Amino acid sequence: MTEVTDVIVVGAGLAGLVAATEIADAGKRVVVVEQEGEQSLGGQAFWSFGGLFLVDSPEQRRLGIKDSYELALQDWMGTAGFDRDDDHWPRRWAEAYVAFAAGDKRDWLRAMGHRIFPVVGWAERGGYDAMGHGNSVPRFHVTWGTGPGLVEPFERRAREAQGNGLLTFKFRHRVDTLMMTNGVVDGVSGAVLEPDSIERGKSSSRQVIGDFSFRAQAVIVASGGIGGNHDLVRQNWPTRLGAPPRFMISGVPEHVDGRMIGITEAAGARLINRDRMWHYVEGIQNWNPIWPRHGIRILPGPSSMWFDATGKRLPAPLFPGSDTLGQLQYIMSTGYDYSWFILTQSIIKKEFALSGSEQNPDLTGKSWRMTIKRATNKGAPAPVEAFKQNGADFIVRDNLADLISAMNELAGNDLLSHDRVKAQIEARDREITNPYVKDAQVMNLHNARRYIGDKLIRTARPHKILDPAHGPLIAVKLNILTRKTLGGFETDLDSRVFGTSREIISGLYAAGEAAGFGGGGVHGYRSLEGTFLGGCLFSGRNAGRAAAKAVG
Ligand SMILES: Cc1cc2nc3c(=O)[nH]c(=O)nc-3n(C[C@H](O)[C@H](O)[C@H](O)COP(=O)(O)OP(=O)(O)OC[C@H]3O[C@@H](n4cnc5c(N)ncnc54)[C@H](O)[C@@H]3O)c2cc1C
């Protein structure tokens, strides 16, 4: 039997939840169709660090950071590098999104009970010229409660709407087809999967126990990206980033499978910028994995020395936290798909953060007592220490010779020459006592510490890497970690999807990662960070409001 509603939302991730709650708020009926079980509500956002791009916020102002729409837009455009005809709508989304981040984004969330950790982070610092890539100022606002703290208000609103009979969840329902009548999308059909009580984030059963179809006046596709599907990542890998890595780890659960993207494309939707993606180069294999090939991204502070597989220091300005895709491009140009950090205990203690809600129990658990220890603790946060002790990619030694030989052993080759690495570290170390400083990374350390937030919890006091007082020495083998899909379905500002003939497909909307976080690629080639969750909020809200209006 076919159920009928006003709007169908495919995907109960953040974008889907935002869209669905807006529809219910407008008094319309909405069915949220989700292939995973109820325990996975919130999708990737639950696992996220909850970092949000905000512009000229009270948190920034309190820390003396002067930001503005104009500066943020300059940074966004320099980072995005829009250069295609297909960038018409992404560019319009970018302008609208930066206005949202400088406008009502914070107040809208705050009214729902969302709160922000007061120290603003400084991600993607760039290092080129003022019009180039990167954030001119710190803008990465971490949600108090991380990912779950961001999902929570939308889940609460969704449960209320469920109680009022306006919103219905259909978990374990996997959409296989978008239904169309006379060119208008008017429903979905697919398979009912067997119930599975597997823990959130783990791969669930794909055993089919039935089928379903639902009809509606509009369908919003909010099914996420492709990062859990390495075949698709490799297929879409752009030549400008070199050959696809042979070895990759996954920064997202397996349900980020990209399957619904193919289904929506088959219905005639126009997928643009599929070659744009955002993968990290500081991935470490999770010693305690939840999903297949589970990797964690190190959110590095600026001090670790970064070497390629052959032992050559990465060129300026490719320092930790400066330019993710620049680093990826460089690393792939070496012919190897990994690189190395070399650092000290003093650096790991202050500078290593791990992205993910489960890796930050202090912030996720909203514990001030635990969080304050980030600034005062003698050791690194417990999850970082656990990686140091158990992680397959970590090596800890008292002297450089032992460190290098263990690194060669771990890599299974002899690419690293002790003398060559030592010479580079000693040269950098000499700059620590040089008041004028030639080394751009060391200059950056001094610059970073002019920002109180960095000085407090993010940037170690500059010191010599080979000074035993700051030891032991630590090496971390860094892998490529898949995460975000920057391209997606081309939409207008109401999140209405264009078809291949560039006409709007009636009844079809897309939001979140499936829509390239807005328009088919609001980021262009690169991101300023904290912009993905925000893109889900903004495109989900636009889609929900527009669809609710359209169904009359
Ligand atoms: C560890 C981690 C840390 C992150 N940190 C940050 C951060 O700090 N800041 C930031 O901005 N971003 C961050 N992100 C990225 C951000 O969380 C995601 O990009 C965002 O949550 C994607 O939301 P979405 O709703 O578009 O998709 P998803 O969360 O992937 O949700 C899509 C849902 O659709 C369902 N679905 C897919 N296909 C079908 C189908 N055929 N039928 C039915 N259901 C289907 C899926 O099961 C899934 O539940 C992080 C991500 C991770 C994993």
Side-chain angles (χ1 to χ4, degrees):
M1 215 182 78
T2 302
E3 279 187 43
V4 181
T5 185
D6 293 326
V7 184
I8 293 163
V9 174
V10 182
L14 183 64
L17 279 177
V18 175
T21 49
E22 290 293 323
I23 293 161
D25 273 8
K28 307 293 179 208
R29 290 169 308 156
V30 56
V31 170
V32 181
V33 188
E34 168 57 54
Q35 63 187 355
E36 296 302 320
E38 187 156 11
Q39 66 276 28
S40 277
L41 191 69
Q44 294 179 64
F46 176 89
W47 298 106
S48 78
F49 197 39
L52 294 176
F53 176 88
L54 291 168
V55 177
D56 192 25
S57 68
E59 287 75 20
Q60 285 174 304
R61 277 181 250 135
R62 250 177 251 133
L63 293 163
I65 301 161
K66 293 195 171 48
D67 200 4
S68 65
Y69 172 75
E70 291 72 24
L71 183 64
L73 192 66
Q74 169 188 310
D75 287 350
W76 193 289
M77 292 302 170
T79 293
F82 293 122
D83 62 357
R84 300 175 175 173
D85 290 346
D86 280 349
D87 284 331
H88 171 75
W89 285 106
R91 191 190 291 268
R92 292 199 53 190
W93 270 88
E95 287 159 1
Y97 177 67
V98 175
F100 172 61
D104 72 327
K105 181 178 180 181
R106 183 179 178 280
D107 290 347
W108 178 61
L109 289 171
R110 198 173 166 80
M112 287 179 241
H114 177 268
R115 292 293 179 271
I116 290 165
F117 178 62
V119 183
V120 182
W122 192 359
E124 292 294 301
R125 300 177 187 205
Y128 305 93
D129 63 37
M131 290 184 77
H133 170 69
N135 284 297
S136 298
V137 295
R139 293 193 177 105
F140 189 78
H141 297 67
V142 176
T143 296
W144 187 234
T146 68
L150 183 60
V151 171
E152 193 269 331
F154 296 99
E155 175 172 358
R156 195 183 58 238
R157 282 174 61 194
R159 297 291 185 197
E160 278 164 20
Q162 199 180 11
N164 296 334
L166 283 169
L167 187 151
T168 309
F169 283 114
K170 295 285 183 185
F171 294 107
R172 302 298 285 158
H173 282 58
R174 186 189 69 199
V175 174
D176 294 332
T177 317
L178 284 177
M179 299 198 293
M180 290 181 102
T181 307
N182 299 326
V184 177
V185 173
D186 59 358
V188 297
S189 63
V192 181
L193 305 176
E194 70 173 350
D196 192 339
S197 57
I198 189 116
E199 227 175 282
R200 182 198 279 272
K202 296 211 159 154
S203 304
S204 65
S205 159
R206 285 293 177 263
Q207 185 64 42
V208 173
I209 55 166
D211 52 29
F212 72 90
S213 63
F214 303 134
R215 291 235 172 241
Q217 294 176 59
V219 175
I220 300 176
V221 174
S223 56
I226 66 169
N229 183 336
H230 290 194
D231 290 340
L232 268 183
V233 169
R234 288 199 174 93
Q235 213 172 298
N236 291 328
W237 192 268
T239 46
R240 65 181 175 278
L241 291 177
R246 281 181 296 276
F247 180 73
M248 292 190 284
I249 52 181
S250 277
V252 296
E254 202 174 27
H255 67 68
V256 190
D257 56 18
R259 200 173 154 274
M260 190 65 206
I261 291 184
I263 292 165
T264 310
E265 209 183 356
R270 188 158 188 269
L271 184 65
I272 57 174
N273 299 318
R274 67 175 89 215
D275 62 322
R276 291 179 180 165
M277 22 183 138
W278 189 249
H279 304 309
Y280 293 106
V281 284
E282 315 94 336
I284 47 177
Q285 301 168 76
N286 194 345
W287 61 274
N288 190 13
I290 298 167
W291 54 75
R293 303 177 283 205
H294 191 171
I296 299 289
R297 185 206 174 194
I298 300 169
L299 297 158
S303 303
S304 297
M305 286 190 77
W306 204 335
F307 295 89
D308 68 23
T310 71
K312 185 169 167 244
R313 195 173 171 198
L314 263 61
L318 302 180
F319 311 123
S322 64
D323 174 8
T324 293
L325 284 199
Q327 287 143 0
L328 180 54
Q329 192 175 352
Y330 173 81
I331 289 165
M332 293 317 299
S333 79
T334 65
Y336 299 91
D337 49 16
Y338 66 92
S339 61
W340 296 99
F341 274 168
I342 294 184
L343 60 150
T344 62
Q345 177 63 24
S346 299
I347 295 173
I348 201 170
K349 187 177 97 179
K350 188 133 181 187
E351 298 198 3
F352 265 38
L354 302 171
S355 182
S357 51
E358 83 288 5
Q359 299 296 334
N360 294 277
D362 50 355
L363 294 164
T364 304
K366 302 185 183 179
S367 163
W368 279 113
R369 193 180 51 81
M370 282 168 75
T371 305
I372 282 165
K373 283 194 182 156
R374 284 188 184 230
T376 57
N377 222 19
K378 289 209 165 55
V384 175
E385 277 297 329
F387 263 93
K388 204 179 98 189
Q389 277 161 32
N390 307 312
D393 300 304
F394 282 72
I395 301 167
V396 183
R397 295 288 186 278
D398 285 327
N399 65 70
L400 190 64
D402 288 352
L403 192 81
I404 300 289
S405 73
M407 288 164 79
N408 277 331
E409 201 177 311
L410 181 61
N413 55 41
D414 57 0
L415 287 172
L416 300 175
S417 139
H418 167 260
D419 291 352
R420 188 160 166 240
V421 173
K422 183 166 175 250
Q424 293 171 88
I425 300 179
E426 280 176 348
R428 175 263 182 211
D429 278 0
R430 272 182 211 111
E431 298 284 317
I432 293 292
T433 46
N434 171 6
Y436 308 107
V437 188
K438 181 174 78 174
D439 187 282
Q441 185 174 9
V442 175
M443 278 181 213
N444 271 355
L445 302 186
H446 295 301
N447 190 43
R449 284 177 62 89
R450 288 166 54 206
Y451 168 50
I452 175 84
D454 267 13
K455 194 168 180 176
L456 272 175
I457 55 170
R458 222 40 198 129
T459 307
R461 189 189 292 274
H463 60 271
K464 297 187 175 188
I465 302 271
L466 295 179
D467 179 351
H470 291 275
L473 286 167
I474 300 161
V476 189
K477 184 163 181 251
L478 304 170
N479 310 283
I480 313 279
L481 171 128
T482 62
R483 186 90 97 211
K484 286 123 183 172
T485 310
L486 299 188
F489 293 110
E490 183 180 32
T491 73
D492 67 5
L493 289 177
D494 281 338
S495 299
R496 298 184 304 164
V497 176
F498 288 94
T500 42
S501 59
R502 308 205 74 165
E503 300 283 315
I504 294 281
I505 301 180
S506 284
L508 185 61
Y509 298 74
E513 202 163 335
F517 302 96
V522 68
H523 296 95
Y525 288 91
R526 287 170 156 85
S527 163
L528 290 169
E529 282 293 352
T531 53
F532 309 101
L533 294 164
C536 291
L537 296 172
F538 189 53
S539 63
R541 197 174 81 162
N542 285 10
R545 288 181 182 176
K549 213 165 168 188
V551 300

